[in-house]
Amino acid sequence: MSRRLEPLRVGVLASGRGSNLQAILDACRTPGYPARVVVVISDRERAAALDRARAAGVEALWLNPKDFGDREAFDLALVRALEARRVELTAHAGYMRILSPAYIQAFAGRALNVHPSLLPAFPGLHPHRQALAHGVKVSGATVHFTDEGVDTGPIVAQASVPVHDDDTEDTLAARVLAEEHRLYPDVIRWIAEGRVSVRGRIVTVAP
Ligand code: GRF
Protein backbone atom coordinates (compact mmCIF):
# COMPACT_ATOMS: atom_id res chain seq x y z
CA MET A 1 0.00 0.00 0.00
CA SER A 2 1.52 3.24 -1.08
CA ARG A 3 2.21 6.07 1.30
CA ARG A 4 0.34 9.33 0.57
CA LEU A 5 2.33 12.35 -0.48
CA GLU A 6 0.22 14.84 1.51
CA PRO A 7 -0.62 14.31 5.20
CA LEU A 8 -4.14 13.03 5.85
CA ARG A 9 -6.42 15.95 6.73
CA VAL A 10 -7.99 15.26 10.12
CA GLY A 11 -10.81 17.15 11.83
CA VAL A 12 -11.16 16.61 15.57
CA LEU A 13 -14.53 16.96 17.32
CA ALA A 14 -14.28 17.60 21.05
CA SER A 15 -16.60 18.87 23.76
CA GLY A 16 -14.29 19.16 26.76
CA ARG A 17 -10.81 18.84 28.19
CA GLY A 18 -9.18 17.70 24.97
CA SER A 19 -6.39 15.49 26.29
CA ASN A 20 -6.89 13.03 23.43
CA LEU A 21 -6.81 15.96 21.02
CA GLN A 22 -3.51 16.97 22.62
CA ALA A 23 -2.07 13.49 22.11
CA ILE A 24 -3.05 13.70 18.43
CA LEU A 25 -1.62 17.22 18.06
CA ASP A 26 1.63 16.08 19.71
CA ALA A 27 1.86 13.10 17.37
CA CYS A 28 1.34 15.37 14.37
CA ARG A 29 4.45 17.27 15.39
CA THR A 30 6.66 14.19 15.20
CA PRO A 31 8.66 14.01 11.97
CA GLY A 32 7.12 11.78 9.34
CA TYR A 33 3.71 11.51 11.02
CA PRO A 34 1.37 11.14 8.04
CA ALA A 35 -1.59 13.21 9.27
CA ARG A 36 -2.33 16.71 10.45
CA VAL A 37 -5.22 18.31 12.29
CA VAL A 38 -6.74 21.01 10.09
CA VAL A 39 -9.63 22.01 12.36
CA VAL A 40 -10.98 21.35 15.85
CA ILE A 41 -14.72 21.77 16.19
CA SER A 42 -16.63 21.95 19.46
CA ASP A 43 -20.24 22.31 20.46
CA ARG A 44 -19.06 24.07 23.67
CA GLU A 45 -17.67 27.57 23.48
CA ARG A 46 -15.43 27.15 26.52
CA ALA A 47 -14.11 23.69 25.75
CA ALA A 48 -10.44 23.49 26.72
CA ALA A 49 -10.00 21.55 23.49
CA LEU A 50 -10.50 24.81 21.55
CA ASP A 51 -7.72 26.47 23.57
CA ARG A 52 -5.42 23.55 22.86
CA ALA A 53 -6.14 23.91 19.14
CA ARG A 54 -5.36 27.64 19.19
CA ALA A 55 -2.15 27.02 21.15
CA ALA A 56 -1.09 24.57 18.45
CA GLY A 57 -1.92 27.02 15.67
CA VAL A 58 -4.88 24.95 14.49
CA GLU A 59 -8.22 26.48 13.57
CA ALA A 60 -10.69 26.27 16.48
CA LEU A 61 -14.34 26.45 15.55
CA TRP A 62 -17.31 26.65 17.92
CA LEU A 63 -20.68 25.64 16.53
CA ASN A 64 -23.42 26.72 18.92
CA PRO A 65 -26.21 24.12 19.04
CA LYS A 66 -28.63 26.92 19.94
CA ASP A 67 -28.12 28.40 16.48
CA PHE A 68 -29.70 25.36 14.90
CA GLY A 69 -33.25 24.11 15.04
CA ASP A 70 -32.45 20.46 15.66
CA ARG A 71 -29.67 17.90 15.70
CA GLU A 72 -29.96 17.27 11.98
CA ALA A 73 -29.46 20.97 11.16
CA PHE A 74 -26.48 21.18 13.52
CA ASP A 75 -24.89 18.09 11.99
CA LEU A 76 -25.42 19.39 8.46
CA ALA A 77 -23.54 22.55 9.43
CA LEU A 78 -20.85 20.33 10.95
CA VAL A 79 -20.52 18.34 7.73
CA ARG A 80 -20.38 21.56 5.69
CA ALA A 81 -17.62 22.94 7.92
CA LEU A 82 -15.61 19.72 7.64
CA GLU A 83 -16.07 19.47 3.89
CA ALA A 84 -15.12 23.13 3.39
CA ARG A 85 -11.79 22.29 5.02
CA ARG A 86 -11.39 19.14 2.95
CA VAL A 87 -11.31 16.96 6.04
CA GLU A 88 -10.72 13.33 5.10
CA LEU A 89 -11.02 11.73 8.53
CA THR A 90 -12.75 12.90 11.69
CA ALA A 91 -11.60 11.91 15.15
CA HIS A 92 -14.14 12.27 17.94
CA ALA A 93 -12.32 12.92 21.18
CA GLY A 94 -14.66 13.39 24.10
CA TYR A 95 -17.35 14.65 21.72
CA MET A 96 -20.57 14.43 23.70
CA ARG A 97 -23.25 14.78 21.03
CA ILE A 98 -25.18 11.91 19.51
CA LEU A 99 -24.72 11.92 15.74
CA SER A 100 -27.51 12.13 13.23
CA PRO A 101 -27.72 9.93 10.11
CA ALA A 102 -26.69 12.93 7.98
CA TYR A 103 -23.28 13.03 9.63
CA ILE A 104 -22.85 9.26 9.77
CA GLN A 105 -23.61 8.98 6.04
CA ALA A 106 -21.31 11.83 5.07
CA PHE A 107 -18.41 10.38 7.04
CA ALA A 108 -19.15 6.67 6.78
CA GLY A 109 -15.91 4.78 7.31
CA ARG A 110 -14.09 8.08 7.86
CA ALA A 111 -15.05 8.90 11.45
CA LEU A 112 -13.32 7.49 14.52
CA ASN A 113 -14.22 7.56 18.19
CA VAL A 114 -12.34 6.68 21.36
CA HIS A 115 -14.18 5.12 24.27
CA PRO A 116 -12.68 4.32 27.68
CA SER A 117 -13.78 0.68 28.03
CA LEU A 118 -13.18 -2.59 26.27
CA LEU A 119 -16.22 -2.44 24.01
CA PRO A 120 -18.75 -3.95 23.67
CA ALA A 121 -18.61 -3.81 27.48
CA PHE A 122 -19.80 -0.60 29.10
CA PRO A 123 -20.79 1.70 26.22
CA GLY A 124 -22.33 5.13 26.81
CA LEU A 125 -22.01 7.25 29.91
CA HIS A 126 -19.87 6.50 32.97
CA PRO A 127 -17.98 3.49 31.61
CA HIS A 128 -15.57 3.39 34.57
CA ARG A 129 -18.46 3.45 37.05
CA GLN A 130 -20.07 0.62 35.09
CA ALA A 131 -16.82 -1.36 35.01
CA LEU A 132 -16.21 -1.01 38.76
CA ALA A 133 -19.82 -1.87 39.60
CA HIS A 134 -19.57 -4.98 37.45
CA GLY A 135 -16.37 -6.08 39.16
CA VAL A 136 -14.29 -6.62 36.04
CA LYS A 137 -10.59 -7.30 36.56
CA VAL A 138 -9.50 -5.82 33.23
CA SER A 139 -10.69 -2.69 31.44
CA GLY A 140 -9.20 -0.53 28.75
CA ALA A 141 -9.61 1.73 25.75
CA THR A 142 -11.20 1.19 22.35
CA VAL A 143 -10.80 3.14 19.11
CA HIS A 144 -13.61 2.35 16.70
CA PHE A 145 -15.32 3.68 13.62
CA THR A 146 -18.53 5.50 14.40
CA ASP A 147 -21.89 4.24 13.23
CA GLU A 148 -25.46 5.20 14.10
CA GLY A 149 -25.30 3.54 17.53
CA VAL A 150 -23.62 4.69 20.73
CA ASP A 151 -20.10 3.19 20.82
CA THR A 152 -21.15 0.34 18.53
CA GLY A 153 -19.05 0.78 15.37
CA PRO A 154 -16.34 -1.57 14.05
CA ILE A 155 -13.37 -1.81 16.43
CA VAL A 156 -9.96 -0.83 15.10
CA ALA A 157 -7.81 -1.25 18.20
CA GLN A 158 -8.02 -1.90 21.92
CA ALA A 159 -5.62 -1.73 24.83
CA SER A 160 -6.23 -3.27 28.23
CA VAL A 161 -5.32 -2.20 31.74
CA PRO A 162 -5.71 -4.03 35.06
CA VAL A 163 -8.47 -3.00 37.46
CA HIS A 164 -7.22 -2.85 41.05
CA ASP A 165 -9.28 -3.63 44.14
CA ASP A 166 -8.87 -0.12 45.47
CA ASP A 167 -9.59 1.66 42.16
CA THR A 168 -11.95 4.62 42.04
CA GLU A 169 -13.48 6.00 38.86
CA ASP A 170 -10.69 8.57 38.81
CA THR A 171 -7.76 6.17 39.23
CA LEU A 172 -9.17 3.77 36.64
CA ALA A 173 -9.92 6.64 34.25
CA ALA A 174 -6.33 7.88 34.52
CA ARG A 175 -4.91 4.43 33.76
CA VAL A 176 -7.21 4.00 30.75
CA LEU A 177 -6.60 7.54 29.51
CA ALA A 178 -2.87 6.87 29.18
CA GLU A 179 -3.77 4.02 26.81
CA GLU A 180 -6.19 6.23 24.85
CA HIS A 181 -3.40 8.74 24.32
CA ARG A 182 -1.13 6.01 22.96
CA LEU A 183 -3.73 4.22 20.86
CA TYR A 184 -5.54 7.09 19.13
CA PRO A 185 -2.52 8.61 17.33
CA ASP A 186 -1.45 5.10 16.30
CA VAL A 187 -4.82 4.34 14.71
CA ILE A 188 -4.83 7.65 12.83
CA ARG A 189 -1.35 6.87 11.55
CA TRP A 190 -2.39 3.40 10.36
CA ILE A 191 -5.34 4.90 8.49
CA ALA A 192 -3.16 7.61 6.93
CA GLU A 193 -0.75 4.91 5.83
CA GLY A 194 -3.61 3.13 4.06
CA ARG A 195 -3.24 0.02 6.19
CA VAL A 196 -6.77 -0.20 7.59
CA SER A 197 -9.57 -2.07 5.82
CA VAL A 198 -13.10 -2.75 7.01
CA ARG A 199 -15.35 -5.63 6.03
CA GLY A 200 -18.63 -5.52 7.93
CA ARG A 201 -17.64 -5.39 11.58
CA ILE A 202 -14.16 -6.74 10.99
CA VAL A 203 -11.32 -4.25 10.77
CA THR A 204 -7.93 -5.41 9.54
CA VAL A 205 -4.68 -3.53 9.99
CA ALA A 206 -2.00 -4.55 7.50
CA PRO A 207 1.50 -4.91 8.93
C1 GRF B 1 -11.96 10.19 27.19
O1 GRF B 1 -11.82 9.26 28.22
C2 GRF B 1 -12.75 9.63 26.05
O2 GRF B 1 -12.51 8.28 25.84
C3 GRF B 1 -14.17 9.82 26.54
O3 GRF B 1 -14.16 11.07 27.18
C4 GRF B 1 -12.85 11.36 27.62
C5 GRF B 1 -12.45 12.63 26.94
O4 GRF B 1 -11.24 13.09 27.44
N1 GRF B 1 -15.10 9.70 25.46
P1 GRF B 1 -10.46 14.24 26.70
O5 GRF B 1 -11.45 15.37 26.42
O6 GRF B 1 -9.86 13.68 25.43
O7 GRF B 1 -9.40 14.66 27.68
Side-chain angles (χ1 to χ4, degrees):
M1 264 168 247
S2 64
R3 185 102 172 206
R4 309 155 48 93
L5 294 175
E6 292 293 323
L8 185 75
R9 298 175 67 84
V10 177
V12 177
L13 309 186
S15 299
R17 174 180 63 180
S19 70
N20 277 287
L21 163 68
Q22 192 65 56
I24 295 166
L25 290 169
D26 292 347
C28 289
R29 269 199 286 270
T30 60
Y33 191 80
R36 71 184 177 105
V37 178
V38 295
V39 66
V40 174
I41 303 180
S42 184
D43 56 318
R44 305 219 179 128
E45 186 179 16
R46 292 184 206 291
L50 292 177
D51 296 329
R52 292 180 191 267
R54 291 183 199 105
V58 170
E59 184 188 4
L61 181 64
W62 170 48
L63 289 181
N64 184 355
K66 292 192 182 126
D67 289 343
F68 303 92
D70 55 18
R71 192 164 72 205
E72 184 91 11
F74 179 92
D75 277 5
L76 282 173
L78 181 61
V79 168
R80 270 198 302 276
L82 291 164
E83 286 178 343
R85 289 155 182 84
R86 294 183 290 117
V87 166
E88 299 166 284
L89 176 77
T90 63
H92 301 197
Y95 184 62
M96 298 308 287
R97 288 177 65 85
I98 294 180
L99 298 158
S100 63
Y103 177 90
I104 297 294
Q105 276 155 30
F107 279 89
R110 301 192 296 137
L112 293 172
N113 183 41
V114 64
H115 184 74
S117 75
L118 292 177
L119 293 171
F122 316 130
L125 293 176
H126 308 304
H128 304 302
R129 193 179 304 173
Q130 294 184 58
L132 292 173
H134 202 88
V136 294
K137 305 303 181 199
V138 175
S139 192
T142 302
V143 176
H144 63 92
F145 285 105
T146 57
D147 65 8
E148 44 291 314
V150 175
D151 303 322
T152 52
I155 292 169
V156 187
Q158 294 184 301
S160 61
V161 303
V163 178
H164 302 318
D165 291 345
D166 60 353
D167 263 333
T168 63
E169 280 184 64
D170 286 347
T171 59
L172 180 55
R175 200 172 305 124
V176 172
L177 195 63
E179 295 302 318
E180 296 180 50
H181 294 166
R182 203 177 50 75
L183 210 55
Y184 217 170
D186 277 353
V187 169
I188 292 170
R189 179 164 53 80
W190 300 339
I191 290 174
E193 290 173 346
R195 291 162 54 192
V196 175
S197 47
V198 189
R199 187 177 290 180
R201 282 210 58 83
I202 308 303
V203 180
T204 314
V205 182

